[in-house]
């Protein structure tokens, strides 16, 4: 049976248009090109036999492996430790004009030995189009290169180590190095028949290293965060940056598709798209950190989606899009892939794209109005876009929808959807007054107040003394942890404190937080899931704001122990502490940042009160 690495057993490199996951054994087992949402070239993470991989590893018995990032960069170092020597594989993707969309992407894989001697082996086995397409292979007569040709894409290998093929399909290689010696392999993907890459030289490898390190150091210097968890926050910021498609400014929800929320289960979705919700909430964190360029780029992208007019469903916005704004995300099952540890089906595309999720209008308004936002940079047209959305929402807020968790069990009157609809009007009204913009303020205000009263009356359960998931149940839902964050209730409002206590009893397990209980609120899918890491960080924020600072800090520190060896998080934590779901998840790293900032603020206030 194929041996799959743990989902968390990976670091990530990228060039702001696509990424690669590198397992701690030196295997690139997930890589799509030329974009995040393109078909895969390496997908062994979904099928060890059919998916394809690119592995460089030490050829020695009893190898101990460690992995780390060069501090404050996206340069990944995989270290192999043996009795005979210590060697490293340094992986990076240079960033040349990342905001210009291109079919050409490069990955440098540099082998070096720092003590003793070590033999490295190479195995490059691409499988184009999720393993559905065949390819041809042409080896260089000099033995230092190869070209794989697949549908629409060429993959060039250039190597300072000898390469060969045993089967005419895949490429192997080997090299033995002593302390101080290096060898390099560069992988370049480009369109079929495009000009081949420049020859590999030592100077080219050193330049790629220097420019990549310099890019990340310069970018991170713009961060304003100086709190207690600087290294952790920096890593999350870099992760969010890596998961953003620079040509449009649109962030993807995660790097992967098809990774399971439960081993062997069917909750296996494709997250390589831009969710209005996730991306909008990330904007506030980016601005608070000082990354205004990224925030404004996303605001422009979001404004373009609004300006494009109604979607096929007739709604002003769709819940998710491709990174270039394409709304077509047809879902299909890859029957030929067995799935991670036989977690089937493997899905690409996302059938939830046409769901009605009314909360997205609140998150979009938050993004467009944060720190002035579109009132300052979007001009009259930008304000008109907001006004049209709010006028539409005034007609449509009071109807069932599928809710934030994209359930497939039918539409309901979800409390979170009403909460964020309230946010949309609260933000719009405030902005219209602050900047004296034309608006139907009388109607917007009446709608805002009607939503507030409805949530207080129908979203509140006297039986549970808590706000509940939807109006027809007493089930709790941790999405409502954002109620004080968005200003709907005060952090110490009696109803909110009672809700927080109820969540402590029903959704929290050793500081880890479940989204909801699917057995009590069927969501149309079989199986269960782990605790949702995003919600755990939202729980930390809620505790901190409620002045339960000691509990908040303890929960936060415990949550950080679930990060992988290089500080990355997937969607969920399983029953035995393993990471589950797509990886790494941008929403999780966003919530880590906001939790750290809220906790810093609460601790500062607590310390200021102490004698």
């Amino acid at each position: 049976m194929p041996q799959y690495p743990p989902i968390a057993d990976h670091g990530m490199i990228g060039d702001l248009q696509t990424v690669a996951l590198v397992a701690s054994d030196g295997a690139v087992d997930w890589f799509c090109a030329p974009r995040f949402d393109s078909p895969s070239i390496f997908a062994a993470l979904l099928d060890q036999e059919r998916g394809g991989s690119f592995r460089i590893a030490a050829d020695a018995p009893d190898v101990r492996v460690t992995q780390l990032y060069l501090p404050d960069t996206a340069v990944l170092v995989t270290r192999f430790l043996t009795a005979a020597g210590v060697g490293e594989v340094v992986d990076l993707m240079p960033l040349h004009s990342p905001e210009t969309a291109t079919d050409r992407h490069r990955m440098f894989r540099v082998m070096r030995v720092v003590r003793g001697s070590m033999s490295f082996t190479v195995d490059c086995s691409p499988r184009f189009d999720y393993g559905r397409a065949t390819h041809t292979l042409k080896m260089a007569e000099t033995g230092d290169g190869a070209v794989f040709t697949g549908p629409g894409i060429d993959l060039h290998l250039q190597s300072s180590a000898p390469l060969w093929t045993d089967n005419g399909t895949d490429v192997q290689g080997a090299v033995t190095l002593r302390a101080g010696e290096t060898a390099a392999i560069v992988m370049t993907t480009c369109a079929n028949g495009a000009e081949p890459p420049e020859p590999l030289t030592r100077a080219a490898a050193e330049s790629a290293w220097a420019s990549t390190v310099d890019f990340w150091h310069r970018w991170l210097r713009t961060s304003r965060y100086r709190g207690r968890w600087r290294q952790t926050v920096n890593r999350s910021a870099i992760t969010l940056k890596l998961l953003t498609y620079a040509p449009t400014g649109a962030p993807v929800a995660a790097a992967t598709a098809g990774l399971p929320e439960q081993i062997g289960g069917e909750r296996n979705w494709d997250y390589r798209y831009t969710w209005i919700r996730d991306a909008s909430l990330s904007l506030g964190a980016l601005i608070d950190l000082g990354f205004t360029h990224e925030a404004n780029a996303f605001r422009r992208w979001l404004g373009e989606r609004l300006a494009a007019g109604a979607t096929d469903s007739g709604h002003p916005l769709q819940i998710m899009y491709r990174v270039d704004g394409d709304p077509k995300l047809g879902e299909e099952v890859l029957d030929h892939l067995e799935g991670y540890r036989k977690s089937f089906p493997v899905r690409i595309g996302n059938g939830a794209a046409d769901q009605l999720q009314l909360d997205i209008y609140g998150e979009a308004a938050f993004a467009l109005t944060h720190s002035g936002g579109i009132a300052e940079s979007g001009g009259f047209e930008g304000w008109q876009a907001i006004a049209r959305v709010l006028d539409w929402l005034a007609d449509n807020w009071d109807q069932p929808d599928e809710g934030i968790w994209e359930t497939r069990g039918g539409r309901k009157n979800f409390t979170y959807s009403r909460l964020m609809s309230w946010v949309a009007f609260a933000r719009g009204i405030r902005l219209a007054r602050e900047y004296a913009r034309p608006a139907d303020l009388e109607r917007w205000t009446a709608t805002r107040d009607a939503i507030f009263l409805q949530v207080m009356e129908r979203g509140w359960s006297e039986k549970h003394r808590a706000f509940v998931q939807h109006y027809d149940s007493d089930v709790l839902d941790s999405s409502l942890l954002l109620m004080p964050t968005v200003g709907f209730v005060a952090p110490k409002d009696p109803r909110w404190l009672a809700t927080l206590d109820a969540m402590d009893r029903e959704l929290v397990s050793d500081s880890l937080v479940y989204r909801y209980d699917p057995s009590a609120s069927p969501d149309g899918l079989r199986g269960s899931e782990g605790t949702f890491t995003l919600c755990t960080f939202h729980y930390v924020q809620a505790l901190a704001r409620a002045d339960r600072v000691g509990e908040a800090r303890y929960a936060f520190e415990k949550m950080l122990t679930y990060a992988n060896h290089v500080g990355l998080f997937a969607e969920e934590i399983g029953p035995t502490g393993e990471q589950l779901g797509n990886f790494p998840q941008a929403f999780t790293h966003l919530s880590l940042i906001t939790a750290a900032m809220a906790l810093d603020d609460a601790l500062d206030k607590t310390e200021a009160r102490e004698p």
Side-chain angles (χ1 to χ4, degrees), residues 66-71 75-79 88 565-566:
T66 62
Q67 202 172 50
L68 71 155
Y69 279 111
L70 192 69
V75 176
L76 188 67
V77 182
T78 305
R79 308 192 77 218
E88 299 176 339
H565 55 289
V566 290

Side-chain angles (χ1 to χ4, degrees), residues 12 21 239 243 252-256 568-571 582-586 589:
M12 179 173 69
L21 297 187
T239 302
L243 292 174
V252 297
T256 56
L568 303 182
F569 286 95
E571 289 178 84
N582 284 301
F583 176 89
Q585 193 197 35
H589 286 275

Side-chain angles (χ1 to χ4, degrees), residues 233-262:
V233 168
N234 284 354
R235 179 52 52 198
S236 287
I238 290 172
T239 302
L240 289 178
K241 179 72 169 174
L242 281 170
L243 292 174
T244 299
Y245 185 66
T248 64
V252 297
T256 56
L259 292 181
E261 297 175 14
Q262 179 187 32

Side-chain angles (χ1 to χ4, degrees), residues 322-343:
R322 294 186 182 273
V323 291
D324 60 358
D326 185 350
K328 307 298 184 184
L329 283 82
E331 186 173 293
E332 61 178 305
V333 172
L334 301 179
D335 290 310
H336 63 291
L337 298 181
E338 73 170 13
Y340 178 82
R341 292 176 57 187
K342 297 188 181 299
S343 300

Side-chain angles (χ1 to χ4, degrees), residues 123-128 134-140 146-150 163-172:
D123 185 352
C124 186
S125 305
R127 298 292 182 266
F128 294 87
T134 59
H135 66 268
T136 60
L137 170 63
K138 182 178 180 180
M139 299 295 300
V147 182
F148 301 87
T149 300
L163 301 177
W164 64 87
T165 180
D166 289 334
N167 57 12
T169 301
D170 309 321
V171 167
Q172 293 76 42

Side-chain angles (χ1 to χ4, degrees), residues 14-190:
D15 62 3
L16 309 188
Q17 295 189 25
T18 188
V19 296
L21 297 187
V22 186
S24 65
D25 67 354
V28 176
D29 56 16
W30 182 258
F31 175 70
C32 303
R35 300 192 323 199
F36 295 105
D37 57 352
S38 298
S40 67
I41 296 174
F42 304 123
L45 197 53
L46 295 178
D47 194 310
Q48 288 283 296
E49 295 182 351
R50 301 178 186 89
S53 68
F54 179 14
R55 186 170 185 263
I56 301 178
D59 184 14
D62 301 322
V63 179
R64 186 164 65 90
V65 183
T66 62
Q67 202 172 50
L68 71 155
Y69 279 111
L70 192 69
D72 290 341
T73 76
V75 176
L76 188 67
V77 182
T78 305
R79 308 192 77 218
F80 300 92
L81 295 86
T82 71
V86 176
E88 299 176 339
V89 175
V90 180
D91 288 310
L92 60 91
M93 294 180 69
L95 300 100
H96 300 300
S97 303
E99 294 183 356
T100 302
T102 179
D103 289 333
R104 186 176 293 266
H105 302 277
R106 303 171 77 202
M107 180 189 305
F108 280 75
R109 311 203 70 189
V110 179
M111 297 161 276
R112 62 188 186 188
V113 172
V114 297
R115 182 178 61 78
S117 65
M118 181 169 291
S119 296
F120 293 91
T121 59
V122 178
D123 185 352
C124 186
S125 305
R127 298 292 182 266
F128 294 87
D129 190 21
Y130 306 106
R132 295 182 292 193
T134 59
H135 66 268
T136 60
L137 170 63
K138 182 178 180 180
M139 299 295 300
E141 295 180 0
T142 53
D144 60 357
V147 182
F148 301 87
T149 300
I153 193 165
D154 289 344
L155 188 157
H156 295 260
L157 279 189
Q158 299 167 284
S159 176
S160 60
L163 301 177
W164 64 87
T165 180
D166 289 334
N167 57 12
T169 301
D170 309 321
V171 167
Q172 293 76 42
V175 65
T176 299
L177 303 174
R178 291 179 171 79
E181 295 180 336
T182 64
I185 297 180
V186 180
M187 183 188 79
T188 304
T189 57
C190 57

